[in-house]
Amino acid sequence: MKKVPGKVWMAAAVLAVCAAQGETFRSLVGNVPVGETKSAAEVQVPFIVWGGDVPTFHANGGLKTAAGSIYAQQGLKLNMVPGDDFIQQVRDYMSGKSPLLRGTFRMMGMASEVIGSDPKTKGIVLFQMTWSAGDHAVARDHLKTIKDLKGAKVCLQKGGPHEGLLDDLLSDAGLGWNDIEVVWAKDLTGSDKSPAAMFRKDKSIDVCFVISPDMLGLTSGLQSVGSGLEGTVKGARVLASTAERSRSIVDVYVVRKDFYDANREWCEKFTAGYLKACEEVVEMKKQYESRGSKSFEALLKMAQDIYGKEVLPTIADDAYGLILDCAYVGYPGNVKFFREANNPSGFEAFQKAALDLAQTRGYASVRTGLAPNTLNWESKAFTQYLTKLDAAKQDRFRAEAVIGEIEALNAGGQLDENTIYEFSINFAPNQETFSATQYGVEFQKVADLSEKYGNAVVAVRGHSDPTKILLEAVRAGMQKGTLKRTGSSGNYTYYLNGAELDLSQVDKLSAAIQRGEFDGVAGLNPRETMQAALNLSRKRAEAVKQAIQEYAAAKGIDLDQSQIQPVGVGIAEPVIPKPSSMAEAEKNMRVEFRLIRVNPEVMNESDFDF
C-alpha cells in the first residue's frame, strides 16, 4: 500500500456539501436547462484523481487526443477536462456540454434524480473501470471487528465516498445508521477538519474513515497497529478496508441516453479503447515491477503532469501508488458486472445500493434508476480487438499459503487483530453433516461475505469440547502420581509435579499433555484423545465447507472455493474451559467463521479483478 491521494480532490470538492442542512443534490445543481449534446466529432470527457483514469490518459495520449494513440486509431477525438467538481460535471452533462459523467456508482445514485428528470439525460452506465482498494476504516484498539461498530462514534466526511463504505460495513455487521453516532468532517484529508485530524484530537471518536495516506499516518500499515511513534496513534488499526472489502466502491462512466442512442459506435469505441488501454497498462506495470519500464515511467510522469505535483509529489511513490490503490476489471469484469444474473456485486445490486443510500441519506427524494448499457460484448469491436477476454476465474488464493498465514497469525497472537468479522454455529455431539435446512442463513452469510470481501479469507474453524480430555488427564495423572489434588468436590486444586495447574488454562494443560506428562496409564491416553479431537474438528470444518459449496451451487452462486479454508482448532479455544453440564459442553461444540485479513502474498496474481 503506497501513500496516495485516492479520491481526495473529488470527494472534497464534489459532494462535501451535498447533504448539508438537508439540501438535496438537485438544489445544489440548480436549475440547468436541458441542452442538446454536441456532435461526436470532439467530445468533452471528464476525469478525476484516481488510478482508474490513468488508462484513459494512456488511450488518449494526454488530455488532447494524440496522433497514434489508441483513441486516435479508433477515430475518436477527446478533450479531457478535470471533473473533480461533480456538481459542475452534472451541470455540464445537463446542458449538453459533455455527454458523460465520471464518478463512483453511488455518486451517480446521488445525482440520479437530477439526471433522470428528462428522458434525454437519463443515465446509461457505459462501463465499469475499477474497484477501490485504498479506502479504510481506522479504529481504536477496543474495537476488534465490524460488529463492534454498534454504539461507536464514527467520523467521516459528509457526502464523500466513505458514506457508501460505512453503509456497507453496517449492513455486513447487521447494523444500521441508528446504531452509531456520526461526527461529520468537512474535508476528506489535508486539514484539521478531516476525519484523521479529528480522530487524533478527539479520543472519544472510535472510528474514522480515511484514504491511504491518512491510514498510513495513523497506523503505519494495513496490517499494523499504531505505536504512538512517528506520528501514529497508539493502538490504532485498520478495522476494515476496501483492500479486503473489494466490492464496495466501483468507478464508472455514465453517458446521456440521447447521445448513446445517436452514437452507439462512438460509445463502443470509447469503451473498447479504455479496455485496451487497461490491458497495456497492466502489461507495462508488470514490466516495471520486474525489470523496469520506460513506457510505464512515462505514463506515471504523464499522470503527475496532469494532476500536478501538489497531488502527486513523486512518481515512484505517489503516481505509482495511485495505480496500486485501484483494481482494474477489464473486459471480463465488465461482462460479469453487466451480464451475470444474481451477481451480488453486479449492476442491479449496485443500483439498488446506490438508490437506497441516495434516498435514505436525503440526496434524492425520488428513486430514479440508471440503465445498463446494451453493448454487444461479443462483437468484433471487443473480441477481435482485445486480448484478455477469458472470464474463467482462477483460484484467488493459494491454499497452503493461506493455512500457513492463518496459523502464523494465531501463533503470533494477531488473529483477532486481523479478524474483520466472525460468527459461529453450534452442532450436536457426534454430528457429522450440516444441512442447508438447518444452517442456510449462515451459509448465505458466508457466500455474501466471500463475494463482498474478495481479498479476505473466510476461515472455517472447527472447535471441540475439552471435557473428555480433562477427565482423562486427571484420571491418568492421579493414577500415575504426577497429578495431586486437594480440596473438596467443586473446589479442587491440582498440582502437576508439585506446581499448581489450573485446568481452565487449556493451553498449559495441552502443553503438559503433549509433553507426555499423562502417558503410560493403561486404558487412558489423553494425548491420543486430544489429537483425535483436533482431527475431528478439522473433519467437521471440511464438512461445513463442503455443505457451503453445495448450497452455493444449488443457488447458482459463483463461490471462490480457495477463499474458504477449513481449519481444525481442537480444544484450544473453548468458550467454557471447564464445562459443568452438557449444555455448557455443547457451547464448545461449534464451527466458527472468521473473515480474516491476510498478506497479499498468499494470493495468486491476476491481471483483472472480477
Side-chain angles (χ1 to χ4, degrees):
M1 192 68 60
K2 299 290 185 180
K3 183 175 181 180
V4 297
K7 292 186 172 63
V8 178
W9 310 104
M10 175 184 69
V14 181
L15 299 172
V17 292
C18 258
Q21 283 79 48
E23 285 185 292
T24 63
F25 195 87
R26 181 187 293 278
S27 67
L28 293 169
V29 172
N31 184 23
V32 180
V34 174
E36 298 296 325
T37 57
K38 298 179 181 179
S39 74
E42 183 173 5
V43 177
Q44 178 173 303
V45 177
F47 68 88
I48 64 174
V49 180
W50 183 235
D53 293 76
V54 176
T56 324
F57 302 151
H58 175 63
N60 207 41
L63 296 183
K64 296 282 188 179
T65 306
S69 67
I70 290 174
Y71 280 141
Q73 292 174 16
Q74 290 272 34
L76 306 186
K77 190 175 181 180
L78 311 183
N79 176 29
M80 300 191 67
V81 299
D84 297 318
D85 185 342
F86 189 62
I87 294 169
Q88 187 58 48
Q89 264 203 62
V90 175
R91 290 170 180 154
D92 290 346
Y93 176 93
M94 298 298 290
S95 68
K97 191 173 182 180
S98 173
L100 297 167
L101 287 176
R102 169 71 183 91
T104 69
F105 207 122
R106 281 189 174 89
M107 290 170 63
M108 301 305 171
M110 293 173 185
S112 59
E113 185 177 17
V114 176
I115 66 177
S117 61
D118 189 289
K120 294 179 180 179
T121 58
K122 182 178 178 66
I124 308 291
V125 181
L126 188 55
F127 59 87
Q128 180 189 0
M129 303 169 76
T130 63
W131 299 106
S132 167
D135 298 278
H136 320 274
V138 173
R140 301 195 190 276
D141 56 2
H142 63 277
L143 277 77
K144 303 303 182 185
T145 74
I146 57 174
K147 291 192 294 186
D148 297 328
L149 284 169
K150 185 175 180 64
K153 182 184 284 189
V154 181
C155 183
L156 68 160
Q157 186 208 19
K158 187 79 167 180
H162 295 147
E163 287 195 45
L165 177 57
L166 173 57
D167 193 60
D168 283 341
L169 297 180
L170 291 171
S171 176
D172 295 343
L175 303 173
W177 287 78
N178 290 334
D179 291 309
I180 61 173
E181 177 185 350
V182 177
V183 178
W184 294 112
K186 178 184 177 183
D187 302 318
L188 186 64
T189 190
S191 81
D192 60 359
K193 296 179 181 178
S194 68
M198 295 169 68
F199 182 80
R200 289 180 187 279
K201 293 178 182 178
D202 186 351
K203 292 184 179 180
S204 71
I205 293 176
D206 299 299
V207 183
C208 64
F209 280 75
V210 297
I211 57 171
S212 289
D214 290 328
M215 178 275 288
L216 290 167
L218 294 170
T219 69
S220 80
L222 192 60
Q223 290 184 289
S224 302
V225 178
S227 63
L229 303 176
E230 298 181 343
T232 64
V233 174
K234 188 173 178 60
R237 52 181 291 272
V238 175
L239 184 71
S241 166
T242 55
E244 296 91 26
R245 219 291 185 185
S246 55
R247 301 296 188 263
S248 184
I249 300 178
V250 53
D251 282 82
V252 296
Y253 263 108
V254 162
V255 62
R256 278 177 50 144
K257 186 177 187 302
D258 56 355
F259 185 88
Y260 181 76
D261 290 342
N263 301 280
R264 291 291 185 99
E265 186 178 1
W266 188 97
C267 292
E268 187 177 74
K269 289 181 176 180
F270 179 59
T271 302
Y274 177 81
L275 298 178
K276 185 68 172 180
C278 287
E279 291 183 348
E280 293 186 0
V281 169
V282 166
E283 286 305 311
M284 286 190 288
K285 175 176 172 287
K286 287 181 181 178
Q287 294 176 14
Y288 176 78
E289 292 170 343
S290 62
R291 59 184 182 275
S293 169
K294 293 295 183 183
S295 59
F296 190 69
E297 290 176 6
L299 180 60
L300 296 179
K301 181 65 167 61
M302 179 192 292
Q304 185 189 51
D305 290 343
I306 290 172
Y307 290 133
K309 290 187 177 181
E310 181 181 340
V311 178
L312 300 179
T314 68
I315 290 175
D317 288 332
D318 300 290
Y320 177 49
L322 191 71
I323 289 177
L324 290 183
D325 257 6
C326 69
Y328 302 114
V329 302
Y331 174 88
N334 271 277
V335 172
K336 179 171 182 175
F337 186 77
F338 290 105
R339 289 277 190 85
E340 187 175 275
N342 302 318
N343 182 357
S345 297
F347 175 85
E348 291 299 336
F350 264 89
Q351 165 125 288
K352 182 180 184 305
L355 296 181
D356 285 349
L357 184 66
Q359 193 169 33
T360 58
R361 302 304 299 159
Y363 297 107
S365 57
V366 178
R367 294 177 72 88
T368 309
L370 299 107
N373 67 71
T374 55
L375 297 174
N376 179 9
W377 293 100
E378 288 75 34
S379 72
K380 294 180 180 179
F382 296 110
T383 60
Q384 293 188 11
Y385 180 56
L386 304 174
T387 60
K388 297 178 180 178
L389 305 172
D390 188 7
K393 205 172 186 181
Q394 67 171 340
D395 285 349
R396 192 151 183 78
F397 299 88
R398 292 180 286 111
E400 290 185 6
V402 168
I403 295 298
E405 173 86 355
I406 294 172
E407 289 176 349
L409 289 173
N410 197 27
Q414 297 175 309
L415 190 61
D416 287 344
E417 293 175 6
N418 287 282
T419 296
I420 302 166
Y421 183 76
E422 56 85 19
F423 66 98
S424 299
I425 59 174
N426 289 93
F427 53 83
N430 303 315
Q431 182 175 339
E432 295 182 356
T433 60
F434 299 83
S435 70
T437 302
Q438 185 175 1
Y439 300 110
V441 172
E442 290 81 5
F443 292 172
Q444 184 63 51
K445 183 73 173 177
V446 172
D448 289 343
L449 290 173
S450 299
E451 170 63 27
K452 294 170 182 175
Y453 292 81
N455 294 337
V457 168
V458 179
V460 182
R461 307 176 79 234
H463 295 263
S464 301
D465 176 62
T467 302
K468 185 177 181 181
I469 291 92
L470 284 171
L471 292 174
E472 282 197 10
V474 169
R475 290 173 60 194
M478 293 185 69
Q479 287 188 38
K480 188 176 180 180
T482 56
L483 189 70
K484 304 296 184 182
R485 183 172 69 187
T486 63
S488 56
S489 179
N491 193 30
Y492 288 126
T493 300
Y494 292 90
Y495 298 88
L496 179 62
N497 297 323
E500 186 174 343
L501 176 65
D502 185 348
L503 296 183
S504 66
Q505 294 181 327
V506 176
D507 55 341
K508 292 184 178 180
L509 177 64
S510 298
I513 292 173
Q514 291 286 13
R515 290 196 305 270
E517 299 285 1
F518 306 99
D519 290 356
V521 178
L524 296 171
N525 194 332
R527 178 157 40 168
E528 186 176 287
T529 304
M530 188 169 69
Q531 182 61 47
L534 179 62
N535 295 342
L536 182 59
S537 69
R538 167 79 185 191
K539 183 178 179 181
R540 284 202 173 101
E542 290 173 342
V544 170
K545 177 181 177 178
Q546 180 63 33
I548 293 170
Q549 291 172 342
E550 293 172 358
Y551 172 86
K555 293 285 185 178
I557 299 171
D558 181 19
L559 201 64
D560 184 344
Q561 297 183 14
S562 72
Q563 191 180 8
I564 302 174
Q565 294 296 333
V567 179
V569 181
I571 67 167
E573 301 171 18
V575 175
I576 301 176
K578 290 175 61 179
S580 58
S581 65
M582 178 54 72
E584 289 187 348
E586 288 180 349
K587 291 182 180 180
N588 294 323
M589 302 176 192
R590 70 197 192 281
V591 173
E592 170 194 24
F593 303 94
R594 279 197 186 228
L595 186 66
I596 300 174
R597 178 181 299 112
V598 293
N599 193 310
E601 292 180 0
V602 305
M603 300 173 64
N604 290 312
E605 291 188 7
S606 177
D607 291 336
F608 298 115
D609 186 357
F610 60 95

